[in-house]
Amino acid sequence: MTLRSPLGKVLGLGSAKSGTAHWWGQRVSAIALIPLVLWFIFSLLLLPNLDYATAHAWLHWPVSGFLAILLVGVVAYHSYLGTTVVVEDYVHGEGYKLLGLLLLRFLHVLVAGAAIFAILCIAFGT
Amino acid sequence: MPARARPLSPHLFIYRWQIGNSLSILHRLTGLFLGLGFVALAYWFVALATGYPSYRFAARLFASPLGGLALFGWTFAFFYHFLNGVRHLLWDAGRGFERAERRASGWLAVAGAISLTLAVWLLLWHFERL
């Protein structure tokens, strides 16, 4: 026996109106981040130092640049999903909630966009 | 609003404080703090792309006492969120739900995060001294 209405069953999206998409996206990005962050930490630790020339040469290398862009993209997505839940849970006024959610989305795109643009500049610069 | 008070389901505060809920709260807090770390990481990339003077400024900022404290905090927050995240993924796969397993994996995440944070910083400290 089920308590779900026939319409609810067909739509399958629940009260959040997005089904399991958010939950699933959080898990998929978490799995993707395991190798990406481990790569990032180990690469930085294996560099002889972090002065300008060393860091720049490291990020100029195509493999580093490519993986760094993936890292920034997936971190932004994972962080956006996580912080969104925090705003939904703790910001109660509808207006403030909407404002917070909009701000979060804009900030994540802004920060990720700036980081990816910077990585591309280093990758394609001299 | 209803005219008379209706019975409510028990809220958070009625439960005894224990490791399960503490680690859950810590997961959310470290996640939020890591969001700030993401901004710092983006700033590091932008400074590196902008040129030597801005990179040197960023490097000094990160090397300052407050910058160092933040980096240390982000290291711990990262390792904890990482290990506890793997714990969550194992739960999602339907494993580790027994009481003893839950407690053991929780303490493992905390101990692992502390050890890995100390290992990374001892490594950094060691090479700075070379």
Side-chain angles (χ1 to χ4, degrees), chain A residues 27 40-41 50 85 89-90, chain B residues 28 38 41-42 49 55 78 92:
Chain A
R27 267 67 189 173
F40 185 71
I41 290 175
L50 278 179
V85 177
D89 281 356
Y90 303 128
Chain B
R28 190 165 267 203
F38 173 51
L41 176 71
Y55 185 78
F78 165 72
D92 293 335

